[in-house]
Amino acid sequence: MPYSSPLLEIPRAVAAPEGHPEAGVPWHWGDPFAEQRTAARGVVVIDRSHREILAVTGEERLSWLHLVISQHVTELAENTGTEALILDSQGHVDTHFVLAHTGETVYLDSDPGPVATSALPKGGKQTLREYFEAMKFWSKVEIRDATEELAVLSVLGPETDSVLGVELGTEPYSVTALPEGGFARRMPWPTRAGADLAVPRAQLTQWWQRLTDAGARPAGSWTFDALRVESRHPRLGVDTDERTIPHEVGWIGSAAHVAKGCYRGQETVSKVHNVGRPPRYLALLHLDGSPEITPETGDPVKLGERVVGRIGTVAQHHELGPIALALVKRSVPGGAELLAGDEDRVVQATVDPDSVPGEHAAPGREAAQRLRG
């Protein structure tokens, strides 16, 4: 059965529309723009308990992971974390996840659902655990699905530390074990101040109550997505396609190591890094909010009559208005005036100059004002 968070039973929780990528957790709590403003100025808590979590244990957990993922983790210290990818042999992104190393266990949390993988025939899908099990061979590691053990809550905003009740390290991805089980991990996105909490799933409602009692405002996935789009952090399968390489979406360094060998797709990562010219980049688009329509994920982006990209996440932002992430060709300049959408949902769009690699122009808000002015 599709997942449904117990927090959806709390008054004022509004579920996401059917088919939405964040189905199963609250979409908002009655006022999504106020929720976003609080995330920017105070602190909010967001239910992300639909994320899936794997636990990797065993004496060879780091050396084995080092061989099968894109990140350098042989010396990943206790109580630290990072991000990582699974790539195919051509360097295209199959999977993205976030790690936390604590209690002699590496936890990996990812978006829900099976993922496409080049390990199967074209179009085939498998879970991340199934992929890892196929790659384990004789390594001294154990892999278990910890989704029924732990649930993720994200706390965002400059007042994050004041509501956590635990002392969290200041470095990105630093991890602190929670006394009741689980862990808290400092996150550098989608806001500059925030943390993911992996709490015992049986205590999800109690943790939600504890955080809201401490001053965190309930917020939904709408807020998380709007802030994620603003910060240009992609979601796998929404802002990426089957041709996406890490360089195009900002995953070099944060999730893919350019100097580490011995992982599938590394040759492409190194080659494109040395050349410095990925074919596309992840652009922030400011959409014309005059018509009461917005493009949808997968819709084309056109410069004149020429298709130059595809739409990813579309969001309504409390300050920027309608915005979207789009994978566009490298030749598309900052400030370019585009058409985004298909059929009866085509709107004008402008590329935020700050999202263009190597370009420095007027701030994004000025681009939005030009579009709407």
Side-chain angles (χ1 to χ4, degrees):
M1 292 180 59
Y3 175 72
S4 180
S5 171
L7 301 183
L8 283 170
E9 300 175 7
I10 297 177
R12 296 193 302 113
V14 178
E18 185 177 353
H20 194 278
E22 306 295 347
V25 294
W27 191 32
H28 63 84
W29 294 79
D31 194 340
F33 292 143
E35 294 165 25
Q36 292 177 42
R37 287 193 292 270
T38 303
R41 303 166 190 172
V43 59
V44 301
V45 57
I46 300 174
D47 180 8
R48 301 177 71 217
S49 60
H50 58 332
R51 286 180 68 78
E52 297 177 354
I53 303 178
L54 294 182
V56 181
T57 58
E59 61 184 271
E60 294 180 352
R61 61 189 179 278
L62 293 180
S63 59
W64 173 76
L65 276 170
H66 187 79
L67 295 175
V68 296
I69 66 176
S70 63
Q71 190 58 282
H72 198 299
V73 295
T74 53
E75 299 176 359
L76 188 65
E78 273 276 317
N79 297 320
T80 61
T82 187
E83 298 181 52
L85 310 170
I86 301 293
L87 306 178
D88 70 11
S89 58
Q90 302 301 311
H92 303 131
V93 179
D94 276 347
T95 313
H96 170 265
F97 43 90
V98 190
L99 285 72
H101 186 204
T102 184
E104 299 186 343
T105 301
V106 180
Y107 294 96
L108 305 87
D109 59 284
S110 60
D111 289 322
V115 296
T117 172
S118 57
L120 296 178
K122 187 172 180 62
K125 292 180 180 292
Q126 65 180 170
T127 65
L128 183 57
R129 182 184 181 184
E130 289 170 338
Y131 172 76
F132 279 154
E133 289 287 356
M135 300 298 292
K136 189 169 68 171
F137 303 111
W138 299 280
S139 300
K140 297 177 181 178
V141 296
E142 295 295 330
I143 305 161
R144 75 175 189 274
D145 188 341
T147 307
E148 294 302 314
E149 302 171 24
L150 299 171
V152 176
L153 296 173
S154 289
V155 182
L156 305 179
E159 298 178 13
T160 290
D161 287 17
S162 67
V163 304
L164 286 182
V166 295
E167 186 174 346
L168 196 58
T170 58
E171 292 298 315
Y173 308 105
S174 57
V175 176
T176 300
L178 298 174
E180 301 89 344
F183 58 87
R185 178 183 58 216
R186 177 77 69 187
M187 290 297 294
W189 60 272
T191 60
R192 294 180 180 178
D196 286 342
L197 275 62
V199 303
R201 185 168 290 275
Q203 301 175 22
L204 176 62
T205 302
Q206 293 93 316
W207 267 97
W208 181 266
Q209 191 65 51
R210 179 188 303 185
L211 293 166
T212 54
D213 286 347
R217 177 175 187 155
S221 60
W222 181 329
T223 288
F224 191 92
D225 273 347
L227 298 175
R228 180 178 60 78
V229 172
E230 180 188 20
S231 64
R232 289 199 305 126
H233 278 82
R235 173 168 178 160
L236 185 79
V238 178
D239 303 302
T240 66
D241 58 19
E242 70 282 354
R243 298 183 294 116
T244 301
I245 59 176
H247 314 70
E248 297 176 325
V249 292
W251 276 334
I252 292 298
S254 64
H257 198 280
V258 296
K260 176 179 94 78
C262 302
Y263 70 91
R264 191 176 63 189
Q266 186 268 341
E267 183 177 351
T268 298
V269 170
S270 295
K271 180 178 179 180
V272 177
H273 177 72
N274 291 329
V275 173
R277 296 186 64 84
R280 300 178 296 178
Y281 68 92
L282 191 66
L284 173 62
L285 300 186
H286 297 275
L287 307 176
D288 183 359
S290 300
E292 294 183 2
I293 54 173
T294 56
E296 297 178 358
T297 299
D299 279 353
V301 177
K302 293 184 178 181
L303 180 60
E305 296 298 319
R306 183 167 62 103
V307 175
V308 295
R310 68 175 291 279
I311 291 290
T313 306
V314 180
Q316 295 285 344
H317 190 276
H318 71 108
E319 287 186 338
L320 302 179
I323 55 177
L325 291 177
L327 270 173
V328 299
K329 293 184 177 180
R330 185 180 178 86
S331 58
V332 176
E337 296 186 1
L338 309 169
L339 293 176
D342 198 13
E343 299 178 345
D344 60 351
R345 53 180 183 273
V346 178
V347 299
Q348 291 182 310
T350 300
V351 176
D352 188 312
D354 289 347
S355 67
V356 182
E359 290 196 19
H360 300 280
R365 286 171 174 75
E366 293 185 19
Q369 291 170 357
R370 287 199 304 273
L371 179 65
R372 297 175 176 84

